[in-house]
Each structure stands twice: as C-alpha cells, then as structure tokens.
Amino acid sequence: TYLVKTQCAKDLYNPNDLSLIPTYALNLDEPPEKRWSHIVINYKDQLENLFDYFRQNQNQYKIFLDNNNQNLDKLAESFPEPYRQEILGMSNATGIGVEDFMLLNVFYELSSSCSSIVAQDFQGEIFLARNLDFGLLLGWDTRNDTWMTTQLLRKLTINLFFYRENQLLFKSTTLVGFVGLLTGLKPNKYSLSINQRKDNVPGIAGIFSWVAGNSMNASWVTLLGREVFEQDLNYLEVVDRLSQTVLLAPVYYIIAGTNEFQGAVVTRNQTDLLDLWILGSNNSWFLGQTNYDRWKAPLAIDDRRTPIYVCMNDYGRENLSFDSLFNVLSTQPVLNKLTIHTTLIKVRTGQYESYFQECKTPCPLF
C-alpha cells in the first residue's frame, strides 16, 4: 500500500548543467599522517565553520561534547590504525583539534538518512545509485530554509580516488576529514553504499562500549567498508565479509557486482545478519533501500521507499540509465532538505558520477 502520492521527476539529468563534486587523489603509499594534508588545507575554513557550529550548539551534540571532550579524547586514543594516524595528520596540517575530527568521524552514527538503489538492465549491466542525506534535527537555517549542518557538510563534500603503487584502487564520495567509506566503486569488481539503520540497540551504544573498552573486537561500519575496498576481494567475498563481521552499529550495506543479479542488501545488527536481499529474488530487477527494514512499513512522515518503487517502475527496466536513476533520486521526498549529493555508478565500466543536490523550497524537510 503506497503511503504517498508520487510525481516522478523528469528531465533533470543534464551533466553540463549539474554541479559536479570536486575530485582529489589519496595515495595509500604515503604515511597515514601525510595522506590528507593536501586536501584538508584547502578546506580549513569550511572545517572550522562546521566545528564552530558544533561547539556553539553543544546541546545538540552534548553526548560527546560534555566533560571537556573526555569521550572524544578516549576515542581518539583507541581509534583503529591507520585511521587514527590519518586523523592526527589532518589535525596537525590544519591546527584544528583532534576531538573535532573525531566528532566528524562518529557523525554517521548520530544523524544520517540515505536512499540507495541497485538495479540491472536487460543487458545484465549493474548500476548502483544513492542519495546521501545528513543533518536531521541538527539546527534549522531560517535564512536559507534548510538544515544548517547539511549546508555545512555540503561544502565539505568531495570525490576521493584512492591510489596504490600509482594504480587506481577505488573511487569514493565522502566528506573532507571523514576516514571511513560511505560510497565506493572498485571498477569492474564491486560497488558499495552504506545506509544507517535504526535498531533497538543504536550505533551510539556501540561507540560508548568501544570507549569503555568492551567492544574492541568489533568493526566500525564505515571503516569496514573502506577495508574491503583496500583488499583484493571479489563480489561474493565482500558480501560474506559484510554479512559476518561483528560491528559497532546496525547498518544496511548495499552491494553491486559485475555479473547478472550480483546485487544485494545486507541488513545487519551488531552481531548478526538479519536479512540478505538478493537482486533477482521474486523476479526483481532492482532493490530500493532507505533506512527501514524491507519487511516493515516506513514511517508515514518519512516514506522515501514508495517514490523509489513507483518511479523505478514508471521508467521501467528498458530505460534504466544514469538519466532515469538521477530522476528517481531527484523525486521528492527521496530528494529532501537533508540531501547533500547524488552518486551514480556503473560497476563494470567504472563510470562514476557524483553531483551536489539541493532541494529548493517547497521541499520536504526529510
């Protein structure tokens, strides 16, 4: 039963008119503390604006900013390597405190809403597309009619291409200073997007368990995403790794491969695989995942799932392309005031496009 009336967006995909996200290279052969320096120095003002906003609105972030940053300091001391060294290097390059970068790197667990689609055309070509939404209830900007944190994060959004031994290892779209992976492509191998999942045991509980020294054998959901891209794995190995690894937070991993029906949504809590949803099951040619378990109805005030299904079927499998996927992800409320960017991926060819998105008023708040 559809919860909302959907009017699918049309004719919005025109790369020449869209705002392309800037691209930087990160060399994994460099020492971790040096890898980000050439990037963060260009974004020092934007980072300071974000962190100043955090500090000025401590009531929204008090769970971490209380006690003189004690929780963030403990987290920085125990954060996994080499990511800890990368964060220390960014702090040294900009003169910005380590605790600020740490808050950015746990931000995914605090406020994120995303929409992802994995789909296959009649030729067996696999696509992955996603909207990244960030900043729910974290300060309304009355002048610009949007979420303040979303605006600040949009100015920190980049494409980051990872290299090793002068060879492209993988592509991603991320935030300056964020060392995990939210969206990634290993050309001609696999692609991944990560959506936050709400559960009875929230991600924030896993972070505090880590700080207390009780969950040191668990993996951070976005760091695990980056780890699988730095290793030489195939699609099935990636699905298995993301399905079985003990995690700090519940999550949806949306994975696309290169062969027919190599698409999956892995639904996880901290310890268990709850559901493995496979492309092609029940004759499906696409899977659409937001932030709700597929066997449960989404909240009526946050039903992005229905527009995805209505518009994907409206365009049809015969018209599956970057054009149709961009329009689906530009349909309100899939596109909303929290949306920062849209990424479009064709796994086999390595085609990767990422564009800033901003939903003009009138537009759903989330």
Side-chain angles (χ1 to χ4, degrees):
T1 302
Y2 292 147
L3 303 179
V4 296
K5 184 177 179 180
T6 299
Q7 184 173 355
C8 301
K10 304 288 184 182
D11 303 321
L12 294 182
Y13 178 70
N14 186 344
N16 293 327
D17 293 337
L18 295 171
S19 183
L20 193 65
I21 291 173
T23 298
Y24 290 85
L26 189 141
N27 184 1
L28 291 171
D29 295 321
E30 290 187 345
E33 65 272 17
K34 301 293 185 183
R35 291 173 182 170
W36 286 82
S37 297
H38 66 292
I39 302 171
V40 293
I41 199 66
N42 295 325
Y43 287 86
K44 182 179 178 181
D45 290 345
Q46 293 91 326
L47 286 163
E48 288 180 338
N49 288 339
L50 175 67
F51 299 144
D52 284 345
Y53 180 75
F54 286 169
R55 284 187 287 271
Q56 291 166 13
N57 294 271
Q58 290 199 25
N59 60 312
Q60 298 175 53
Y61 308 95
K62 61 183 178 182
I63 196 166
F64 278 110
L65 292 176
D66 278 357
N67 303 320
N68 296 315
N69 297 319
Q70 184 178 14
N71 291 321
L72 290 172
D73 290 340
K74 288 182 179 178
L75 188 56
E77 292 170 2
S78 62
F79 209 60
E81 298 290 4
Y83 311 110
R84 178 175 177 272
Q85 287 300 317
E86 289 186 3
I87 289 172
L88 290 174
M90 288 188 278
S91 175
N92 290 333
T94 59
I96 297 172
V98 173
E99 67 279 0
D100 289 325
F101 283 103
M102 288 309 309
L103 182 56
L104 177 61
N105 277 275
V106 301
F107 203 69
Y108 174 84
E109 315 298 345
L110 301 179
S111 176
S112 173
S113 299
C114 303
S115 300
S116 297
I117 303 167
V118 57
Q120 176 179 298
D121 66 15
F122 281 117
Q123 289 71 48
E125 196 75 51
I126 309 293
F127 295 77
L128 183 69
R130 71 96 46 85
N131 277 357
L132 183 72
D133 302 343
F134 247 132
L136 179 62
L137 303 180
L138 297 181
W140 183 253
D141 181 354
T142 56
R143 185 176 63 179
N144 294 301
D145 199 24
T146 191
W147 299 105
M148 186 65 186
T149 304
T150 304
Q151 288 282 80
L152 293 168
L153 292 173
R154 187 177 288 114
K155 295 175 182 178
L156 291 168
T157 300
I158 61 170
N159 290 323
L160 192 59
F161 290 6
F162 289 74
Y163 288 83
R164 180 178 287 153
E165 297 178 354
N166 295 319
Q167 298 295 315
L168 175 66
L169 196 61
F170 62 94
K171 304 175 181 180
S172 71
T173 304
T174 189
L175 303 167
V176 174
F178 186 83
V179 298
L181 182 138
L182 295 170
T183 310
L185 165 70
K186 199 154 193 173
N188 201 31
K189 286 199 171 184
Y190 47 83
S191 187
L192 173 69
S193 66
I194 298 177
N195 287 16
Q196 186 188 47
R197 177 175 179 266
K198 280 83 173 173
D199 197 12
N200 293 332
V201 182
I204 195 69
I207 296 175
F208 279 113
S209 180
W210 175 282
V211 170
N214 298 326
S215 298
M216 306 301 286
N217 64 330
S219 292
W220 294 73
V221 295
T222 62
L223 297 186
L224 178 62
R226 179 171 157 185
E227 286 167 13
V228 299
F229 275 79
E230 292 193 24
Q231 298 168 5
D232 186 19
L233 304 175
N234 60 39
Y235 167 81
L236 292 177
E237 290 170 331
V238 170
V239 172
D240 183 67
R241 180 76 63 84
L242 299 178
S243 298
Q244 303 301 325
T245 304
V246 175
L247 302 172
L248 283 180
V251 69
Y252 302 103
Y253 288 119
I254 301 91
I255 312 155
T258 58
N259 298 331
E260 275 195 312
F261 301 113
Q262 283 193 336
V265 176
V266 173
T267 301
R268 290 291 313 273
N269 62 17
Q270 280 88 340
T271 56
D272 298 311
L273 171 66
L274 302 181
D275 184 62
L276 181 58
W277 188 18
I278 301 295
L279 188 64
S281 58
N282 297 321
N283 297 315
S284 60
W285 60 275
F286 73 91
L287 309 175
Q289 181 64 53
T290 59
N291 302 101
Y292 302 94
D293 296 339
R294 68 184 179 102
W295 56 91
K296 299 177 182 177
L299 291 176
I301 61 171
D302 182 28
D303 182 11
R304 288 165 282 127
R305 179 197 299 169
T306 294
I308 288 173
Y309 274 78
V310 169
C311 296
M312 288 295 288
N313 285 307
D314 183 52
Y315 276 102
R317 188 175 182 182
E318 65 277 9
N319 295 311
L320 180 60
S321 64
F322 277 12
D323 189 313
S324 63
L325 287 167
F326 186 84
N327 283 314
V328 172
L329 291 172
S330 298
T331 297
Q332 297 182 17
V334 186
L335 177 70
N336 56 75
K337 287 292 188 181
L338 291 170
T339 306
I340 293 175
H341 70 259
T342 296
T343 299
L344 309 168
I345 302 169
K346 191 181 291 187
V347 184
R348 188 178 300 159
T349 65
Q351 188 177 357
Y352 189 100
E353 297 179 8
S354 201
Y355 301 102
F356 288 112
Q357 287 269 44
E358 190 165 1
C359 192
K360 302 297 185 182
T361 304
C363 175
L365 298 184
F366 52 85

